[in-house]
Amino acid sequence: MLAGAEDAKEIFLNPLAWYRDNDITLRVGVRATEVDTYARKVFADDGSVVAYDKLLLATGSRPFVPPIEGLSDADGNLKAGAFAFRTIDDCNAMRAHAAQPRRVVVLGGGLLGLEAARALKEHVAEVHVVHGTSTLMNQQLDSEAGAILKAGVEKLGVQVHLEKRTVAVLGDGQVTGITFSDGTGIDTDLLVVATGIRPRVDLARGAGLAVQRGIVVDDQLRSVDDPDVYAVGECVEHRGLVYGLVAPLWEMAAVLADHLTGANPTAAYRGSKLATKLKVAGLEVAVMGLKEPEQPGDEFVRVSEPTRGRYKTIVARDGRLVGATLLGDLSRVAFLTQAFDRGTALPDERLALLFDLGGPPEAVSTAELPDDVQVCNCNGVTKGAIRACVAGGTATIKGVMEATRAGTGCGSCKALVADVVGWAAGGAVEDDPSSSWYVAGVPLGKAELVAAVRAQGLRSVSSVFAALAGGVEHAPSKPGLASLLKVVWAAEYEDERDARFVNDRVHANVQNDGTFSVVPSIPGGITTSDQLRRIAEVADRYQVPMIKLTGGQRIDLLGVKKDDLPRVWSDLGMPSGYAYGKTMRTVKTCVGIEFCRFGLGESTTLGLQIEDRFKGLESPAKMKLAVAGCPRNCSEAMVKDVGVVAIEGGRWEIYVGGAAGASVRKGDVLATVDSHEEVVRLSGRFLQYYREEARYLERTYDFVPRVGIEHLRAVVVEDAEGVAARLDLALEASVDAYHDPWLEAAEPRTPNQFSPAIEVGS
Amino acid sequence: MSGSPPAEAEHHLGPVGQVPLGEGRIFDVDGWAVAVFRPRAGGVLAVDPVCPHRGGPLADGLVGGTLVVCPLHGWTFDLASGCRVGGPEAVASHDVRVEAGQIILSRLAVSSGPGGD
């Protein structure tokens, strides 16, 4: 129930029908006069008594009327012509009172007073603001900002009187003027009191509840004296603070609702971070948190342009934004508000906080992106579409991805999608337990899944569904499980063909028209005239619509019909290049010292050696490798999953986690070694660790930064965890399990494996 | 791959073993194509073989329960009803059964979902 609201208007946040429809008894015009917390009863001025189980006090605040001689009478009523100001609506009432006021004086140069002055200036010729201290809005602004604000206010024609203490309101029964402590004064018959608000606490105090500046509540918004009495809004004092803005009220109300309804018994309100954005006297102002540094280590950046009416400061503590003031130029306010609200780490270039220096870091600029910006470039999903989806009630990242398809294409925008969802949900993103699962269809993380698979001896995908997913098959999870089982069991893996994506069933890459592309293995990109002739003959024989050189230095035959695949492979007489699988794909090479005049190492020899060893190696996502014969990096080794670069002195740098696809990332140096054998050994050990630890479809460019290059060096190079020997052995088993899938041309593994259609006569 | 055979006709598609367990295969019934699936849960199910999104080959899709996922862009259909999961589209579904190890496509049902053909 609502208690103590004086004016029916205050209740009409909702239409009357809403109360009725929601089974809420609304008693308008009834004033609660007393609360008996022992009897659990509320007494009202109409003589009625209401019993309660839980009581919520939302008595709000009242304008503060300073003790100035002649301002109010003994009963606290303001002298005729004086008005207390809370909202713009109050201004309207004042204007109605004095039909054509010529002059008005506003007491108080804070937020309220300046808002009142601006609103009044539109209708009243002469507006004065009287403020007790030397700085307008001194609660929020430092003196320099206050001076700029004052200039802006004066430009509007408002006269500002600073450091004036009002000691008397003149007039007998009707305001005629005010007098200051220095003896001067202003004649006026309209006086607006905007000197702040005070929590309305009479009811609570009368009930014996703890009241200091406001009703003292705990983190569950309960009175510290009575757990059955709650209070929210401007009437409460929480952790020593009283709030006078609406945002904290919403935050309190959300916690209250969760707690009271039992939806989340642990819900806690821990105070609000205040960020205010308003237009004062035509000047845009945004303030949040601290206005000045408070502790010795606090950073303070200030840019003051008084003649341009601009002023900007930030206060940072431990690399986080703890306060900011913007005057006149609010172009960075969204970015700063987000950084302030979330406590995100600030960019090193502090000035980038205050000026657009050519693009802020992606992660913190989410709020600033316009609605029509395309977040997911694969599926054409805009920021606005994601915002609408969240507004429609979808609160998990996965839910939004499923509903909008954002992030479900190449996946490179997933982090941005998550940011936008977080921003749209105001941080209220629901935890999606499945986000930590290895695949969506089995409720286990990778480590638990591997443990369960090992413990229960689950060697096939169907047995995993049966044992670990309640027998419920989930189609998109099948290839991920197959990949994992193959890594765990190597040759002991029980291959079920239906668990494979079509590419892996027919060992070719499905194209947009249902045909396939065929890429034979050309290790290191080194071919022969004989191979080229055979490829040309096959292309002619099977009328291949396109022959294309790939980025991995191979030859792609595109548009091959499914039933031609076995014959194409046989006629080629070359092994599969695995250009379709979540496997090691190719090792790209440059010619190194064999031919290149700059070459420092035998890159082709090493490339061939690596490709032969890792060919067809199953992995969480595809792996593209390269070897460069010198740091000119012609084979792009520094942006490969594993790249090896020859450097002077007969040594090789091993880069891991590079990418030049949907994401671009230069790899991190795992180690610098001095022999081919060492390159093969360490890169293999890294690959095995990646195979075992990475999430399904997690490329090395996500995996490496996730686990950290230092950790990888420790495990792979220094063997800090003592797993190196086991990793080497496990890799060896997988290498030994290699077979050329194109040999299935001679003996298909499933009925009609390559049939486009089974003919049936009727 | 087009045209319609007579309604209510029964078509004997041959041994169920022509479709591997958990996979789908396309049958060409006198010039009319239908995708027949053998879910691991048992039985057979049949739908039109072309994904209404971008023409993807549904018979090459992964099957889980009675759902098939188009291999091109992941549109998912319930093989029993033909309805797309998470969208109003549908593919025509067809009554099909196994008798004495033989697949019998017993009649051509009309698509049960909106947007089907």
Side-chain angles (χ1 to χ4, degrees), chain A residues 175-193:
Chain A
V175 175
T176 58
I178 56 172
T179 307
F180 302 134
S181 57
D182 60 7
T184 61
I186 305 173
D187 291 339
T188 181
D189 40 47
L190 190 53
L191 184 65
V192 173
V193 181

Side-chain angles (χ1 to χ4, degrees), chain A residues 405 462 473-476 478-479 496-502 505 510-514 516 562 750-762, chain B residues 11-13 17-30 40 54-55 57 59-65 67 69 71-75 84:
Chain A
R405 303 205 54 74
S462 63
E473 262 190 331
H474 183 249
K478 286 178 160 186
E496 289 169 342
R497 286 301 171 114
D498 65 296
R500 297 181 174 202
F501 186 62
V502 61
R505 293 181 190 169
V510 68
Q511 304 295 303
N512 61 8
D513 60 353
F516 293 86
K562 199 196 233 177
T750 60
N752 304 299
Q753 185 176 356
F754 302 105
S755 306
I758 303 161
E759 300 276 341
V760 182
S762 57
Chain B
H11 299 277
H12 292 254
L13 304 188
Q18 296 175 99
V19 183
L21 190 59
E23 294 190 44
R25 290 289 182 263
I26 291 176
F27 285 80
D28 182 341
V29 186
D30 290 337
R40 281 188 172 267
R54 301 278 280 273
D60 284 341
L62 282 158
V63 176
L67 302 181
V69 182
L72 291 196
H73 308 99
W75 278 31
R84 182 182 165 212

Side-chain angles (χ1 to χ4, degrees), chain A residues 609-685:
Chain A
Q609 201 180 337
I610 293 174
E611 181 153 347
D612 182 56
R613 180 160 177 81
F614 300 146
K615 59 182 185 281
L617 195 64
E618 193 89 9
S619 48
K622 65 183 170 189
M623 303 188 295
K624 295 183 170 181
L625 279 56
V627 181
C630 82
R632 285 176 185 75
N633 195 30
C634 293
S635 58
E636 295 150 6
M638 292 173 191
V639 289
K640 295 295 180 188
D641 295 287
V642 174
V644 184
V645 179
I647 58 172
E648 188 55 69
R651 292 160 67 78
W652 299 92
E653 286 179 333
I654 305 174
Y655 287 82
V656 295
S663 297
V664 178
R665 181 179 193 273
K666 186 178 176 184
D668 299 313
V669 177
L670 178 72
T672 304
V673 299
D674 46 23
S675 69
H676 290 194
E677 290 64 38
E678 195 68 352
V679 167
V680 170
R681 194 171 64 85
L682 288 184
S683 53
R685 196 182 290 162

Side-chain angles (χ1 to χ4, degrees), chain A residues 313-592:
Chain A
T313 66
I314 55 160
V315 187
R317 183 175 297 163
D318 302 328
R320 318 271 156 181
L321 188 69
V322 293
T325 302
L326 298 175
L327 230 73
D329 173 14
L330 263 52
S331 58
R332 305 295 289 161
V333 70
F335 168 64
L336 287 171
T337 305
Q338 193 187 24
F340 174 73
D341 281 345
R342 305 205 185 150
T344 44
L346 296 177
D348 285 339
E349 180 49 80
R350 301 295 198 230
L351 277 182
L353 291 165
L354 296 175
F355 299 97
D356 190 351
L357 298 178
E362 203 171 72
V364 283
S365 63
T366 313
E368 291 177 303
L369 293 173
D371 255 11
D372 59 356
V373 155
Q374 191 158 292
V375 171
C376 173
N377 286 328
C378 288
N379 293 319
V381 185
T382 61
K383 180 189 174 192
I386 294 173
R387 179 221 289 267
C389 182
V390 172
T394 307
T396 64
I397 291 160
K398 182 160 163 271
V400 170
M401 285 174 61
E402 276 169 7
T404 64
R405 303 205 54 74
T408 61
C410 75
S412 64
C413 65
K414 272 184 193 167
L416 184 55
V417 171
D419 277 354
V420 173
V421 171
W423 163 83
V429 179
E430 282 171 22
D431 277 345
D432 177 1
S434 68
S435 62
S436 64
W437 301 346
Y438 172 69
V439 287
V442 182
L444 293 171
K446 182 162 184 177
E448 301 88 65
L449 181 57
V450 168
V453 158
R454 286 217 170 98
Q456 302 181 39
L458 306 173
R459 288 176 170 78
S460 69
V461 170
S462 63
S463 70
V464 171
F465 284 122
L468 304 176
V472 179
E473 262 190 331
H474 183 249
S477 299
K478 286 178 160 186
L481 291 172
S483 166
L484 177 132
L485 293 177
K486 212 166 172 183
V487 171
V488 171
W489 298 111
E492 290 175 61
Y493 165 61
E494 271 175 39
D495 183 14
E496 289 169 342
R497 286 301 171 114
D498 65 296
R500 297 181 174 202
F501 186 62
V502 61
N503 286 4
D504 293 303
R505 293 181 190 169
V506 300
H507 319 298
N509 200 345
V510 68
Q511 304 295 303
N512 61 8
D513 60 353
T515 65
F516 293 86
S517 90
V518 171
V519 180
S521 163
I522 301 183
I526 299 161
T527 184
T528 63
S529 57
D530 174 54
Q531 273 186 344
L532 291 174
R533 261 189 294 272
R534 264 183 284 154
I535 291 169
E537 279 163 18
V538 164
D540 284 346
R541 196 171 303 145
Y542 298 96
Q543 296 171 337
V544 171
M546 184 184 273
I547 308 166
K548 188 159 185 337
L549 302 182
T550 73
Q553 300 183 336
R554 307 198 283 186
I555 294 176
D556 194 350
L557 304 174
L558 290 138
V560 177
K561 295 183 204 75
K562 199 196 233 177
D563 51 338
D564 282 340
L565 289 172
R567 286 191 299 275
V568 165
W569 299 334
S570 309
D571 292 1
L572 283 172
M574 298 163 73
S576 167
Y578 276 97
Y580 42 81
K582 305 305 175 199
T583 59
M584 204 289 290
R585 295 279 182 91
T586 80
V587 180
K588 193 170 175 175
T589 64
C590 69
V591 291

Side-chain angles (χ1 to χ4, degrees), chain A residues 220-353:
Chain A
Q220 278 69 44
L221 290 319
R222 291 174 298 206
S223 161
V224 293
D225 287 319
D226 187 333
D228 292 325
V229 178
Y230 294 77
V232 291
E234 295 178 357
C235 65
V236 311
E237 176 175 333
H238 174 262
R239 297 191 182 186
L241 292 175
V242 174
Y243 297 96
L245 293 166
V246 73
L249 168 61
W250 297 134
E251 293 174 22
M252 289 181 203
V255 171
L256 175 83
D258 279 350
H259 184 72
L260 209 50
T261 60
N264 176 10
T266 61
Y269 174 73
R270 299 200 163 86
S272 292
K273 286 180 152 186
L274 291 182
T276 314
K277 191 174 118 183
L278 67 155
K279 209 165 174 173
V280 185
L283 199 62
E284 287 193 302
V285 180
V287 289
M288 58 199 82
L290 304 183
K291 59 177 178 178
E292 288 161 327
E294 287 185 352
Q295 292 178 12
D298 288 354
E299 295 171 43
F300 190 49
V301 181
R302 174 162 59 186
V303 178
S304 181
E305 301 171 282
T307 53
R308 300 177 69 196
R310 292 179 179 191
Y311 184 76
K312 303 177 181 185
T313 66
I314 55 160
V315 187
R317 183 175 297 163
D318 302 328
R320 318 271 156 181
L321 188 69
V322 293
T325 302
L326 298 175
L327 230 73
D329 173 14
L330 263 52
S331 58
R332 305 295 289 161
V333 70
F335 168 64
L336 287 171
T337 305
Q338 193 187 24
F340 174 73
D341 281 345
R342 305 205 185 150
T344 44
L346 296 177
D348 285 339
E349 180 49 80
R350 301 295 198 230
L351 277 182
L353 291 165

Side-chain angles (χ1 to χ4, degrees), chain A residues 198-201 204-205 209-217 234-238 241-242:
Chain A
R198 290 293 181 269
R200 211 190 291 267
V201 295
R205 186 174 277 140
L209 301 171
V211 172
Q212 288 171 28
R213 285 161 63 211
I215 303 165
V216 183
V217 295
E234 295 178 357
C235 65
V236 311
E237 176 175 333
H238 174 262
L241 292 175
V242 174

